[in-house]
Amino acid sequence: MSELKLDRVTPSASGGEGQFPLNQWYVAGFSSELTDKPIARTLLGQPVVLFRTAEGQAAALEDRCCHRSLPLSFGSVEVCGIRCGYHGLLYAPNGQCIEIPGQEKIPSRARVKSYTMSEKQHLLWIWMSDSSGTAPTHNAPDYPHHDNPEYSFGTGVFHYDAPYQLVHDNLLDLSHVGYVHAKTIGGNARQHMNSKLEVTSEGNVVRAIRMMPGTPPPPTYKAAWPFAASCDRWQECEFDVTHLRIFTGAMEPGSGQIDAPDRGGFHMRGFHGVTPETAETTHYFWSIATNHHPDMPDTIDITVQQVKDTFEEDRVIIEAQFANMKKFGSAASWTDIHVDAGTNRARRIVEKLVQQPDSR
Ligand code: FES
Ligand SMILES: [Fe+2]
């Protein structure tokens, strides 16, 4: 039986201390989202304004002017910073006020909290530190598939009325796809449940791998690749505290070793940034990258739309699940089954990191 931890879904104003794993890089958004307008986004309970200066620098500040507390996201972006939309204070990306219109002297305390950002491979990563302001201890994660010329990719930004760990559970255990996603990536539900799930972990990373040789190709695969009645299919999920990578795909039956790193066939590489908004709500930043068959049209646009529909199906399930958890309360425990090995391991890692942010 698992504990529900409903006590932890109560929002607090503590900046995430005791609620979320801190001292981690989280996804704040996609590079393409940052135009000349600021974006207001609450991350781990902290209201943040994201913007890109005209010089191209991505920045994140506390979304509050130090003068009279208007959200800075109501302001406008300028060459070297963001200007408050009330009385015009101008802030540099490091949070320091650098101009007070009509006043020469700028008090040193005229500043707001700034966050360290790292922009790479089309992703905006933000370092969410503990209350002592620990500086990044490692580089933001790499995700090279967005830059791989053999792949096309599309992205989406979803909002869930559910805690982030329910999203982790959903992504790390794909045994639900046969039941929830029959119209797109589903395939044979029983075959999913009967296939061996291999769960391993290394540090704070959990891998859940399922191989399904000789399985019927689901509709999304058939649209992109000339599969006949059967394919050899794999699902490899990797959980890494703030994001998951899900590598799924299939090849002609018996056309190669199903778990070889350089296997052929149709590849779908999913990136999933799961960033708590509050204890009860979650930002979900996803991308899907696929290769395409030389004799088939590139179906990336259709695939992205189908993936979007698929995640919409997940959202409905997860939000209904959470609404029901609240109705029944923490007295209603969960009964584990064989598919829960990976998700329970990930939950233990999150639990550990909430208590001790820097444990490995
Ligand atoms: S509230 Fe921002 S300048 Fe006054
Ligand atoms: Fe799903």
Side-chain angles (χ1 to χ4, degrees):
M1 284 206 280
S2 299
E3 245 185 288
L4 293 187
K5 304 288 177 204
L6 270 179
D7 52 324
R8 277 242 315 277
V9 300
T10 315
S12 93
S14 62
E17 216 90 38
Q19 282 187 310
F20 311 114
L22 295 171
N23 296 347
Q24 299 284 343
W25 290 102
Y26 282 88
V27 179
F30 288 104
S31 296
S32 55
E33 289 186 278
L34 274 195
T35 57
D36 55 349
K37 300 268 181 302
I39 297 176
R41 202 159 262 170
T42 296
L43 308 169
L44 283 69
Q46 302 175 43
V48 170
V49 57
L50 304 166
F51 62 98
R52 186 188 298 289
T53 66
E55 289 166 338
Q57 185 184 353
L61 301 179
E62 172 185 7
D63 195 8
R64 181 191 70 90
C65 177
C66 72
H67 176 226
R68 289 294 182 266
S69 293
L70 185 74
L72 287 175
S73 51
F74 277 52
S76 52
V77 178
E78 299 199 356
V79 175
C80 53
I82 187 165
R83 190 177 295 278
C84 178
Y86 206 170
H87 313 97
L89 267 64
L90 179 65
Y91 294 87
N94 68 1
Q96 182 63 52
C97 175
I98 50 175
E99 186 194 336
I100 301 176
Q103 179 176 319
E104 214 163 291
K105 187 160 170 20
I106 301 172
S108 59
R109 67 177 183 283
R111 60 176 304 123
V112 295
K113 177 178 176 179
S114 70
Y115 295 81
T116 303
M117 301 277 284
S118 174
E119 181 171 21
K120 55 182 183 176
Q121 297 143 346
H122 303 266
L123 288 163
L124 298 166
W125 295 93
I126 187 168
W127 177 255
M128 300 301 286
S129 72
D130 56 23
S131 55
S132 64
T134 303
T137 51
H138 52 280
N139 290 334
D142 265 319
Y143 193 68
H145 310 299
H146 285 162
D147 284 342
N148 184 337
E150 286 173 23
Y151 286 81
S152 312
F153 76 96
T155 62
V157 178
F158 276 27
H159 180 270
Y160 281 30
D161 283 326
Y164 66 105
Q165 285 186 279
L166 293 185
V167 187
H168 290 166
D169 291 349
N170 173 268
L171 291 167
L172 191 50
D173 166 32
L174 298 188
S175 64
H176 72 273
V177 304
Y179 296 100
V180 180
H181 308 308
K183 289 191 236 102
T184 52
I185 58 167
N188 186 304
R190 287 217 163 263
Q191 202 150 7
H192 273 85
M193 296 302 274
N194 290 335
S195 318
K196 186 169 175 288
L197 179 71
E198 196 187 318
V199 176
T200 55
S201 51
E202 201 183 322
N204 293 328
V205 172
V206 179
R207 291 188 187 86
I209 294 172
R210 182 180 271 116
M211 298 293 166
M212 292 177 291
T215 192
T220 302
Y221 287 27
K222 280 177 90 161
W225 210 261
F227 289 119
S230 172
C231 65
D232 288 349
R233 187 174 175 187
W234 64 84
Q235 292 173 337
E236 297 169 354
C237 306
E238 187 179 282
F239 162 89
D240 195 358
V241 188
T242 64
H243 60 287
L244 294 94
R245 298 148 192 258
I246 301 185
F247 182 16
T248 55
M251 55 191 185
E252 302 299 329
S255 62
Q257 201 187 319
I258 192 172
D259 56 357
D262 60 346
R263 71 204 122 176
F266 178 54
H267 297 189
M268 291 179 77
R269 291 189 180 270
F271 174 86
H272 310 264
V274 181
T275 306
E277 179 186 48
T278 65
E280 296 196 355
T281 56
T282 305
H283 297 292
Y284 176 34
F285 305 98
W286 58 266
S287 77
I288 193 76
T290 67
N291 60 344
H292 72 271
H293 192 279
D295 302 333
M296 301 276 284
D298 189 345
T299 54
I300 184 66
D301 292 341
I302 301 167
T303 303
V304 170
Q305 185 55 49
Q306 287 186 345
V307 166
K308 199 172 166 196
D309 296 345
T310 300
F311 294 160
E312 187 57 35
E313 291 170 336
D314 285 313
R315 192 182 62 75
V316 170
I317 295 281
I318 294 168
E319 290 186 350
Q321 176 191 17
F322 182 52
N324 215 29
M325 285 168 66
K326 287 204 284 190
K327 248 185 238 170
F328 281 86
S330 53
S333 57
W334 285 352
T335 305
D336 288 345
I337 63 167
H338 63 104
V339 300
D340 302 318
T343 58
N344 284 345
R345 211 176 284 197
R347 278 180 174 267
R348 284 196 291 275
I349 289 170
V350 168
E351 187 70 20
K352 177 187 72 177
L353 291 172
V354 168
Q355 305 304 331
Q356 307 156 3
D358 297 312
S359 50
R360 287 273 139 203

